[in-house]
């Protein structure tokens, strides 16, 4: 008998596309520093938290295994984008092209910053999914709001704790680096709280449409089991 192949739904595919777009756009937006009152943050703050909201929705509806696939696909697409941008940046410009400096400012991501970003993303995203999954089992599927917020604090906290020292350690003074890290976690968590009513509504609609509400009982949380969905 022919073995049934694992499948994913159209909605899962659309959420995966949104996840990848958020990650790639965050890299572009991060090249601009923006001011929120007296606080300076990167433009990536506008869109990067959406990737954590998508992470929460996917983990809540389809479970950790599909979230693991989502994270690795997002990582691969983001890596491909950064690699192609760096390659294009290295190729000499046409004689009539006058925006080389601007293009380099957007796509000339320093290797140190790129590696810090990739490491922080993987750790933060997987920690967010793990906390979300384990708390769902422990709470018997209740308290989605608390689970979404706490998993975001864990994931965003790990992301900032890894990214800023690796990317900016020795460049930004320690007394400025620590507040920067803390503000990133606080603002991204506030973002999640503000978006929470919409997130709850989306999760309810997804569960009703997909007929799924996965509990990750007895699964392997090995991040390398990519094809186990």
């Amino acid at each position: 008998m022919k073995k049934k192949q694992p499948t994913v739904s159209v909605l899962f595919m659309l959420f995966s596309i949104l996840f990848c777009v958020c990650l790639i756009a965050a890299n572009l937006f991060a090249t601009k520093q923006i001011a929120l009152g007296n606080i300076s943050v990167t433009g990536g703050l506008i869109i990067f938290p959406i990737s954590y909201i998508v992470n929460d929705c996917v983990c809540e509806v389809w479970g950790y295994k599909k979230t693991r696939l989502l994270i690795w696909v997002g990582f691969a697409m983001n890596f491909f984008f950064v690699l192609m941008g760096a390659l294009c940046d290295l190729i000499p410009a046409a004689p009539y092209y006058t925006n080389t400096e601007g293009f380099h400012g957007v796509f000339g991501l320093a290797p140190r910053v790129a590696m810090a970003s990739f490491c922080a993303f993987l750790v933060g995203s997987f920690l967010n999914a793990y906390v979300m999954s384990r708390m769902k089992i422990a709470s018997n599927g209740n308290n989605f709001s608390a689970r979404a917020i706490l998993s975001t604090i864990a994931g965003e906290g790990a992301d900032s704790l890894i990214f800023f020292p690796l990317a900016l350690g020795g460049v930004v003074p320690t007394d400025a680096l620590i507040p920067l890290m803390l503000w990133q976690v606080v603002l991204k968590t506030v973002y999640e709280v503000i978006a929470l009513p919409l997130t709850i509504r989306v999760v309810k609609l997804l569960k009703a449409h997909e007929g799924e509400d996965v509990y990750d009982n007895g699964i392997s949380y090995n991040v390398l089991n990519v094809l186990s969905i």
Side-chain angles (χ1 to χ4, degrees):
M1 185 173 71
K2 188 175 181 180
K3 183 178 179 182
K4 183 180 178 181
Q5 295 297 316
T7 60
V8 296
S9 72
V10 172
L11 281 176
F12 176 81
M13 182 185 69
L14 292 176
F15 269 71
S16 299
I17 293 170
L18 175 61
F19 187 75
C20 294
V21 169
C22 289
L23 297 180
I24 292 171
N27 277 339
L28 297 178
F29 295 175
T31 59
K32 180 178 180 179
Q33 303 291 310
I34 60 176
L36 297 177
N38 296 324
I39 305 169
S40 295
V41 296
T42 68
L45 181 66
I46 295 173
I47 195 167
F48 186 68
I50 297 176
S51 68
Y52 274 78
I53 294 173
V54 173
N55 187 318
D56 287 343
C57 291
V58 171
C59 195
E60 176 69 14
V61 178
W62 290 288
Y64 177 86
K65 292 196 288 185
K66 283 192 171 67
T67 309
R68 176 171 54 203
L69 175 63
L70 173 79
I71 292 169
W72 279 115
V73 169
F75 175 84
M77 295 301 101
N78 198 23
F79 181 81
F80 179 74
F81 171 80
V82 170
L83 184 64
M84 292 299 103
L87 178 61
C88 191
D89 186 48
L90 286 173
I91 297 173
Y96 55 82
Y97 185 72
T98 60
N99 196 36
T100 300
E101 185 176 342
F103 188 91
H104 178 74
V106 175
F107 293 97
L109 196 62
R112 177 183 176 182
V113 175
M115 289 306 300
S117 176
F118 291 142
C119 292
F121 162 72
L122 284 177
V123 174
S125 295
F126 276 117
L127 184 58
N128 180 85
Y130 177 80
V131 171
M132 191 73 179
S133 173
R134 298 300 298 175
M135 287 187 69
K136 182 176 182 179
I137 296 172
S139 66
N140 197 30
N142 297 314
N143 304 318
F144 172 77
S145 297
R147 291 187 281 115
I149 293 170
L150 291 174
S151 64
T152 294
I153 292 173
E156 294 284 12
D159 186 289
S160 296
L161 190 63
I162 293 170
F163 175 76
F164 287 100
L166 287 180
L168 302 176
V171 178
V172 176
T174 303
D175 59 348
L177 191 63
I178 294 175
L180 181 61
M181 292 165 56
L182 292 176
W183 273 118
Q184 288 284 323
V185 176
V186 170
L187 291 174
K188 289 175 180 177
T189 303
V190 169
Y191 193 129
E192 169 110 12
V193 172
I194 293 172
L196 195 55
L198 178 60
T199 306
I200 293 171
R201 180 64 177 161
V202 169
V203 166
K204 287 181 178 178
L205 290 173
L206 285 173
K207 287 181 178 180
H209 184 275
E210 296 289 280
E212 292 213 55
D213 187 8
V214 174
Y215 286 76
D216 296 314
N217 294 301
I219 70 162
S220 168
Y221 285 96
N222 186 340
V223 299
L224 298 179
N225 288 346
V226 186
L227 299 180
S228 173
I229 60 172

